[in-house]
Amino acid sequence: MPTAKIYGLERIIHPMKSQLSDAIHSCVSEALSFPEDKRLQRFFELAEEDFYYGGDRSDKYLVIEIILFEGRSKETIKRLIHLLYERVPPINGMNKRDLDIMIFELPRHCWGLQGSPGDEQKLGYEVAI
């Protein structure tokens, strides 16, 4: 059950939120064989004083964190990262160095989903890919 958190400056994220959401979801769906109808994303639109980034980054800098069940292969996760670098920067003309991606894997029993632990859920999609 991948969940994405997207951090960036409000004035940058807000106008492109829909396109950004679509691009991220297309990457997650394709790389992880995740159902198209399940989209779990949170946008953190930050004020200038709440978002610091290095001098080698522009104001278009974004951070994407994706939390998912453990079990995907290294190749699958790398495919997701490559797809994100391919599809996200063109949305607002950012340079690839303005995008940081972090993937966090958790055991299914560490997630609570719809009233029970994740390892007790019938997901309807494959995790070990």
Side-chain angles (χ1 to χ4, degrees):
M1 185 66 78
T3 299
K5 297 179 188 177
I6 302 93
Y7 302 86
L9 291 173
E10 178 183 22
R11 66 180 169 79
I12 301 296
I13 288 182
H14 192 73
M16 64 174 187
K17 191 185 311 184
S18 179
Q19 298 94 321
L20 194 54
S21 175
D22 290 345
I24 293 168
H25 188 63
S26 74
C27 296
V28 168
S29 294
E30 183 176 327
L32 305 180
S33 299
F34 194 67
E36 289 283 332
D37 64 336
K38 294 183 185 270
R39 185 182 304 216
L40 301 170
Q41 300 173 344
R42 308 295 179 266
F43 286 86
F44 296 86
E45 300 177 46
L46 302 167
E48 307 280 333
E49 64 269 14
D50 295 327
F51 194 50
Y52 296 95
Y53 43 89
D56 60 338
R57 308 291 172 84
S58 80
D59 62 348
K60 295 178 180 181
Y61 176 61
L62 295 178
V63 177
I64 299 174
E65 295 179 355
I66 298 177
I67 306 163
L68 45 83
F69 291 148
E70 66 184 358
R72 273 93 176 183
S73 69
K74 180 169 85 171
E75 292 75 23
T76 296
I77 291 177
K78 288 174 81 170
R79 170 100 171 110
L80 174 58
I81 291 170
H82 286 294
L83 286 171
L84 288 164
Y85 276 116
E86 176 185 306
R87 295 180 187 168
V88 171
I91 292 170
N92 74 344
M94 72 170 53
N95 191 298
K96 288 182 181 181
R97 74 172 173 262
D98 281 331
L99 178 59
D100 284 345
I101 300 165
M102 288 156 266
I103 310 290
F104 301 97
E105 295 182 287
L106 293 173
R108 285 177 60 178
H109 69 271
C110 290
W111 287 58
L113 301 168
Q114 302 170 348
S116 64
D119 63 344
E120 296 176 10
Q121 295 281 324
K122 294 194 186 312
L123 299 174
Y125 60 90
E126 187 64 35
V127 172
I129 57 171

